[in-house]
Amino acid sequence: MLRPFQCLLGCLVENTGILLAASGSCIYSFGLSHGSLLSTWPPPLEQTQLLPSKSPSPAAPLVEEVLDGKNGSELLGRPSKRRKKSSSSAVPEVTSAEAILKGENDDNLGSKESQVSCSVVIKLAGPTKDQLVVAVTEDKYIRVLRLSNNGVLTQLSERSMPKRPCAIVLTPDEKSILCADKFGDVYSLPLIIFSSQENNAYTNGDHDKLFSDERKYFPKVPAANSRTVHTRRNQEALQNQQRATNTVAKKRTLDFTHKLLLGHVSLLTDLACATLVDETLPPPRQRSYILTSDRDEHIRVSRGIPQTHVIEGYCLGHTEFVAKLCIPSWNNNVLISGGGDDFLLIWDWLSGTARQKVDLRSLINEFISKSATSEGDHNVKEPSSTINNLSISEDGGQGRIAVSGMWDLRRSAEKLDGIEGDLVVAFEGIPALFIFAMDIAAKIQYRDCCPVSGNVVDVTALDEKCTIIYSLDNCHTAFSTTTIASEKDQISRPMLGYLSFNSSGHWKGIGDMGDAITCMEQSAKAQEPVIISGPENERPLRELLYGIENLRKRGQEDS
């Protein structure tokens, strides 16, 4: 049995639906029509050994370490240094991106693909019109993958960022990647790297000068000296200080084209971009914007590239951290924000005006009350004590709410009652999806609460099918982010589910995708079993799946 699918991404390739699901460090490709497993990225080790390679790879020793678990130092009787296994430091990022995009030199992909040994996948973005997908891994790498018509993923490039990205989006023209980290910096990177760009990376006038080979060195002289220090221990300490201060501090160079766009003083949480029509501009009369949120309840509206230094305004109205931003695909003038507050805010973001405030507390309390009092519910099987302790205390106190995700789905077929699309909202540690409808006037209306059999991890929307597919946490009990389920429950709990919009105007898990979802789960559970047990295994998984509530500032937990 696999770990939960922490990332989902629905793709449409040549009118064929493909679901990309990331579990741990692997990305699985499923066919939406039949649910069969199409491919796995990176390829299994036994397959990479058979992949062709025309020339010796400079990463060969690294590949041996991955395959055998040994290196030269171990063969000599000394334990090797523990380190993250990644091939980026040993090989160039990409050598044949142009050929790969043109479909040429496929026999050369073996050497590149065999070098891939990445860590946990934490973000997926895309796909583009050219069937490109962007994946972010825990080792700070941004990887661009090509999705073929048969569902096979091929890596085109990998770039190591100075800090681990926390949010990533593609610009509307699908030429650049916007990447943000929790330290408040937002970078722009080209989606595709060609050899000419790599050679001219340092001559580009827009190249970020922040990362240089060496920082300016101002040696610090210790206050003590050999005349004032007499004991042997203090003399050794003084010598160590002198050696340390005489060493020039080095900083790693980013050997690819990038640009620092903007920065936040506070911890950055999410990122979005949009393009609006501006009649004051020359044709095509469009201006791009970048929206960023942080832990200090702020939403900043900045101009897009190349004027990101210009701040258009702020959207102020939250009292807790802002965790998620969502701009509906059918209305770029509207922004929906949520986080640690008991409400969602709908904005006219360009003017910084809040158009609507949607209460969440009453909806959550109603769902939890029904779950705690219901008997034999097939969706929620947790004891009422667990529900009460984690969400609504026994004395009636108010629990905490943390929005973990928001996804928009456009109504492509039927638009009932003037509804343009739907907004799906998930909360951390809550086994349900809450669905809101947005009308033509950009007003949000609550529609459905859909209980599921576990805490929701991620959701992907399929506009053409008017369907959403969601992944569930089968390792933790419902309503809990810390309690590990039994081994039996981990195996029996579902990992995926779906909801479709029916003719009656409701979202139900009925339709023609049931067999495909079942086949996906069977294919996933047929992989090598990984049972989560013990604190050493539970903590990394909890940090991967549940990190939103940690944004809440100390001293405000009980507010």
Side-chain angles (χ1 to χ4, degrees), residues 475-477 480 482-487 490 532-534 537-538 541:
C475 296
H476 292 87
T477 59
S480 175
T482 57
T483 305
I484 293 293
S486 64
E487 180 177 334
Q490 291 186 38
I532 304 300
S533 62
N537 295 326
E538 190 272 336
L541 180 64

Side-chain angles (χ1 to χ4, degrees), residues 245-264:
T245 54
N246 291 332
T247 302
V248 177
K250 297 263 185 170
K251 196 166 187 179
R252 179 176 55 87
T253 300
L254 296 187
D255 53 351
F256 53 84
T257 303
H258 65 287
K259 183 179 181 181
L260 178 64
L261 300 181
L262 55 91
H264 275 238

Side-chain angles (χ1 to χ4, degrees), residues 54 96 99-100 103-109:
K54 285 189 174 182
S96 58
I100 292 176
E104 303 173 356
N105 269 346
D106 288 340
D107 54 349
N108 286 333
L109 299 181

Side-chain angles (χ1 to χ4, degrees), residues 330-347:
W330 58 88
N331 192 344
N332 285 346
N333 295 282
V334 176
L335 170 69
I336 307 167
S337 60
D341 288 308
D342 295 347
F343 52 83
L344 298 178
L345 286 178
I346 292 82
W347 301 89

Side-chain angles (χ1 to χ4, degrees), residues 3-124:
R3 295 179 176 88
F5 292 118
Q6 68 266 17
C7 297
L8 297 179
L9 182 63
C11 307
L12 185 63
V13 181
E14 298 292 335
N15 297 324
T16 301
I18 295 177
L19 176 67
L20 300 181
S23 176
S25 60
C26 295
I27 301 177
Y28 299 90
S29 177
F30 298 100
L32 286 176
S33 59
H34 42 76
S36 60
L37 180 62
L38 302 178
S39 69
T40 302
W41 181 91
L45 294 179
E46 59 270 16
Q47 297 181 13
T48 58
Q49 298 179 38
L50 302 178
L51 290 174
S53 178
K54 285 189 174 182
S55 60
S57 171
L62 183 60
V63 177
E64 290 183 3
E65 180 184 351
V66 177
L67 299 178
D68 303 332
K70 297 180 179 180
N71 56 20
S73 60
E74 287 180 317
L75 297 177
L76 294 175
R78 301 191 306 270
S80 62
K81 180 180 179 181
R82 299 182 63 183
R83 59 183 179 181
K84 291 185 179 180
K85 300 170 184 177
S86 178
S87 61
S88 61
S89 61
V91 295
E93 298 167 7
V94 66
T95 57
S96 58
E98 300 172 356
I100 292 176
L101 289 177
K102 295 178 181 178
E104 303 173 356
N105 269 346
D106 288 340
D107 54 349
N108 286 333
L109 299 181
S111 60
K112 178 63 183 175
E113 203 69 35
S114 63
Q115 297 161 6
V116 176
S117 179
C118 61
S119 61
V120 175
V121 178
I122 57 177
K123 297 288 180 182
L124 288 177

Side-chain angles (χ1 to χ4, degrees), residues 10 370 400 532:
K370 291 181 179 179
R400 298 185 295 255
I532 304 300

Side-chain angles (χ1 to χ4, degrees), residues 363-396:
L363 303 179
I364 294 290
N365 287 353
E366 181 182 358
F367 164 71
I368 293 176
S369 299
K370 291 181 179 179
S371 302
T373 57
S374 62
E375 296 181 0
D377 194 302
H378 68 282
N379 285 322
V380 181
K381 300 182 180 180
E382 302 305 322
S384 59
S385 59
T386 302
I387 299 175
N388 288 333
N389 290 336
L390 293 175
S391 300
I392 300 181
S393 59
E394 296 179 357
D395 59 357

